[in-house]
Amino acid sequence: MTRAPHAGPEPAPEPQDDAGGPIFYGRRMRSALMLGTAGYPSPAALAEAARAARPAAVTVSLRREDAGARAGAAFWELVRGLGAPVLPNTAGCFTAREAVTTAQMARELFGTDWIKLEVIGRADTLAPDPFGLVEAARILCAEGFRVFPYATEDAVLAERLLEAGCQVLMPWGAPIGAGLGLANPHGLRALRRCFPDVPMVIDAGLGLPSHAAAALEMGFDAVLVNTAVARAADPARMARAFARAVEAGALGRAAGPIPPRETATPSTPVAGRPFS
Amino acid sequence: MTRFLVLGAGVAGLCAAAELAARGAPVRIVDPAGGPGPQGCSWWAGGMLAPDCEAESADPLIARLGREAADWWAARGAQVTRAGSLVVALPGDGAALDAFAARSSGWRMLDAEALAALEPDLGGRFSRALFFPDEAHLDPRAALAALRDGLAARGVEVARALDPAAPRPAATLDCRGLGARDLLPDLRGVRGEMMILRGAELRLGRPVRVLHPRHPIYVTPRAGGALMLGATQIESDWRGPARARSAHELLSVALALHPALAEAEILELGADARPAFPDNIPRLRRQGDRIHVNGLFRHGFLMAPVLARMAAEHLLDGRMPELMDHAAEN
């Protein structure tokens, strides 16, 4: 681009703070926060939360909101209007077959081949069914879908999902809606170490912004929250808090944290007394 | 002579007509169905007059303005039961009860003994419950019938069609619910499914809400020992029959309230879509000489009285109501 004369010096480049969003299936996200759209006090409250969160994507459940021609057209319109890419999900599906059908409807309805794949194994904990998940992932990847599988932190399952063609993984933090945070940090760290280059989103179970920051500090690329924001007393304010938390976590990770240690380390050493 | 035309004989239309008629204003009502019935979503309502409980999830103005509903209904011949309401959480989910308590007011925490004293059939089933003593409930169909009969006694009948010979009304109150979407593009449907059970070995004196992270329900007593079980809340305009999934969700939580419900007969399985604006707050909206009363969402019987009062004050006294929508006026 040519610059007009007398336009002054070249502006300084934007500072690169490594807080740019992750890349999913070749697409750079604008943030590390994904937002679910269920359970808000009203669509207006959802819209306000989405404005505050500026999420990388918004997820929307097809089963719950009654897909197809008889659908909640007004609600779809609202979700499309939130200003973020839509990641439809297959929430509420208990078999691979249901999930595949739902994904196909979602592709038609939202014109996207992105799908957050949920195959639920237990109604009480909403734990993923790893067997149905891999089966559905194989079918959908073969059909050209970009699959975001909702999984546990199990590394063997992760391996199978990657073999099936998934290029992003979504391990849970804790059961959906639990608000417990990262219930198995050791397992999650191990998963992160096993597949350092696979984009991973912590999905489900987060309750506090600090949980989201911890996930990013641990090296995960993004988090997905829904209940923690939707059911907060002030969803928009909580959305803003999560947006800042993922930014803080990503920055902290990129900044190179000091290793934890058992003893104090005075920043000003005392001569002759190395450990005092 | 000022004449008002009310479109729709659901809860919004009948309340508005009753309020105008009570103030001596000549009113006509037109509804293609000829009166309240299963074609309108009011028919499928729960009939809880529960402003304190609703404050947990609704805008504060719902709780504030909904307080006048119980007296309004009682004054117009509806049988209002003022026995409060209860909220319980399933075993292992006590945190949900505390969260509900933190976001509402006007409650008393009951222990197991106090709950058993209030609702003997729930004795021994829950260690704690929230009791909202100031709340009330009614049977929606009986209440609609009372309004219709009261209007008929004043000579106001529900016509099935506009009489072409009738003089042009001074104002039209459009209370058609989702039927008014032709004029209200921001109105959407929120589907609800409910069932009516009979013959269960479970007697309740008041509505009981059962908290559940995904499928909260309420059970409310109806005449003759029947119980109404509701209601799903789904972002959908679909008005077709209830789905098996919803029936399953409602019943599985209801059985956790009391297993005796397993033996009940299912008298009805109903479904409809409630009209709602994006903020889920009902309102009046003026379009020329037409005033919409719409978006009552899940608060039909709670909010129709105050909307009716505001509509009448606006039409007869020229007052600008709090719930009049200025932004979308055209």
Side-chain angles (χ1 to χ4, degrees):
Chain A
M1 191 173 100
T2 53
R3 290 168 54 79
H6 315 301
E10 288 286 332
E14 283 287 300
Q16 295 296 311
D17 60 4
D18 298 293
I23 297 175
F24 298 142
Y25 290 102
R27 184 166 171 185
R28 166 76 72 177
M29 300 286 103
R30 69 175 174 185
S31 88
L33 177 61
M34 300 164 88
L35 190 66
T37 57
Y40 290 78
S42 71
L46 161 61
E48 204 190 332
R51 274 195 297 277
R54 289 188 32 86
V58 290
T59 61
V60 59
S61 157
L62 248 75
R63 281 204 78 82
R64 196 58 212 152
E65 316 302 358
D66 218 357
R70 65 187 196 188
F75 190 70
W76 303 135
E77 217 37 64
L78 191 125
V79 169
R80 285 194 199 95
L82 291 177
V86 176
L87 174 59
N89 71 31
T90 64
C93 292
F94 278 79
T95 65
R97 192 179 186 171
E98 268 181 285
V100 168
T101 311
T102 306
Q104 289 162 342
M105 287 195 302
R107 174 150 71 179
E108 210 170 300
L109 203 58
F110 286 102
T112 175
D113 50 15
W114 283 22
I115 188 77
K116 187 193 147 193
L117 180 61
E118 283 187 29
V119 182
I120 299 302
R122 285 187 63 97
D124 55 349
T125 61
L126 300 180
D129 171 355
F131 306 96
L133 187 65
V134 173
E135 187 189 340
R138 276 204 192 103
I139 298 169
L140 291 172
C141 288
E143 290 186 13
F145 280 92
R146 312 288 187 142
V147 177
F148 295 66
Y150 166 59
T152 63
E153 67 277 21
D154 187 299
V156 180
L157 171 59
E159 184 85 59
R160 296 282 181 275
L161 290 167
L162 296 172
E163 282 168 11
C166 299
Q167 294 175 25
V168 177
L169 297 176
M170 301 186 84
W172 66 353
I176 293 173
L180 290 171
L182 307 176
N184 179 6
H186 304 290
L188 287 168
R189 267 195 209 98
L191 178 69
R192 183 70 283 184
R193 268 199 307 276
C194 285
F195 307 100
D197 302 322
V198 176
M200 288 193 209
V201 184
I202 295 291
D203 176 9
L206 305 189
L208 294 171
S210 54
H211 299 152
L216 273 288
E217 286 163 6
M218 211 181 264
F220 290 94
D221 300 274
V223 300
L224 194 165
V225 291
N226 188 341
T227 311
V229 170
R231 298 290 293 151
D234 185 340
R237 193 179 284 189
M238 190 59 88
R240 192 153 50 243
F242 269 97
R244 292 183 185 178
V246 294
E247 204 182 327
L251 273 172
R253 168 87 177 174
I258 58 164
R261 50 196 300 162
E262 296 290 325
T263 56
T265 44
S267 44
T268 312
V270 179
R273 297 173 67 188
F275 292 106
S276 64
Chain B
M1 183 164 60
T2 314
R3 292 188 74 91
F4 299 111
L5 174 63
V6 173
L7 301 180
V11 67
L14 289 181
C15 285
E19 186 72 25
L20 285 168
R23 290 165 188 250
V27 185
R28 285 178 291 145
I29 309 172
V30 173
D31 188 306
Q39 74 288 341
C41 66
S42 314
W43 193 253
W44 308 102
M48 288 183 292
L49 305 175
D52 292 324
C53 280
E54 286 301 317
E56 188 261 341
S57 59
D59 192 280
L61 74 80
I62 301 288
R64 175 166 54 84
L65 296 173
R67 278 183 212 294
E68 58 189 85
D71 288 343
W72 191 95
W73 284 107
R76 274 143 194 95
Q79 195 177 342
V80 175
T81 307
R82 298 171 192 262
S85 60
L86 283 166
V87 179
V88 297
L90 296 176
D93 203 12
L97 196 66
D98 294 323
F100 196 100
R103 290 184 188 180
S104 52
S105 57
W107 48 264
R108 253 193 350 253
M109 187 68 87
L110 305 184
D111 59 12
E113 203 179 328
L115 174 62
L118 196 66
E119 287 288 4
D121 284 3
L122 296 182
R125 295 201 54 77
F126 298 93
S127 57
R128 297 187 302 158
L130 285 174
F131 178 47
F132 293 80
D134 299 334
E135 302 197 320
H137 67 279
L138 50 71
D139 179 332
R141 297 173 190 179
L144 292 173
L147 281 190
R148 182 199 55 205
D149 297 346
L151 283 160
R154 293 178 188 270
V156 183
E157 303 282 348
V158 181
R160 287 180 183 272
L162 271 174
D163 176 3
R168 188 182 156 77
T172 298
L173 278 174
D174 188 332
C175 307
R176 292 178 294 148
L178 279 180
R181 287 178 84 175
D182 52 343
L183 299 174
L184 300 173
D186 53 342
L187 203 62
R188 76 188 198 288
V190 182
R191 182 175 164 82
E193 290 142 313
M194 56 78 88
M195 61 177 78
I196 295 181
L197 305 172
R198 183 180 65 186
E201 291 293 313
L202 172 63
R203 291 288 173 274
L204 295 176
R206 56 196 51 74
V208 180
R209 295 179 190 232
V210 187
L211 303 181
H212 184 281
R214 294 179 302 287
H215 316 304
I217 64 154
Y218 57 83
V219 181
T220 180
R222 292 274 169 92
L227 295 168
M228 184 269 194
L229 171 55
T232 56
Q233 193 167 305
I234 302 170
E235 289 290 344
S236 170
D237 305 332
W238 172 240
R239 300 185 65 191
R243 294 169 308 163
R245 170 191 291 264
S246 297
H248 169 75
E249 289 168 0
L250 289 171
L251 280 174
S252 52
V253 181
L255 292 188
L257 173 69
H258 204 295
L261 286 169
E263 300 307 320
E265 298 165 6
I266 299 176
L267 278 192
E268 285 183 39
L269 182 54
D272 207 338
R274 322 158 174 100
F277 289 111
D279 56 7
N280 290 346
I281 297 174
R283 63 197 61 180
L284 312 173
R285 182 180 294 173
R286 181 147 206 157
Q287 289 176 338
D289 61 2
R290 179 184 297 252
I291 294 166
H292 293 275
V293 182
N294 217 320
L296 276 69
F297 184 47
R298 53 186 268 175
H299 302 124
F301 285 78
L302 187 65
M303 293 300 286
V306 65
L307 288 160
R309 173 175 65 73
M310 289 181 178
E313 287 172 358
H314 181 62
L315 290 173
L316 301 176
D317 312 334
R319 278 201 231 169
M320 191 48 74
E322 177 180 356
L323 290 177
M324 177 68 84
D325 196 350
H326 300 282
E329 199 168 317
N330 55 4

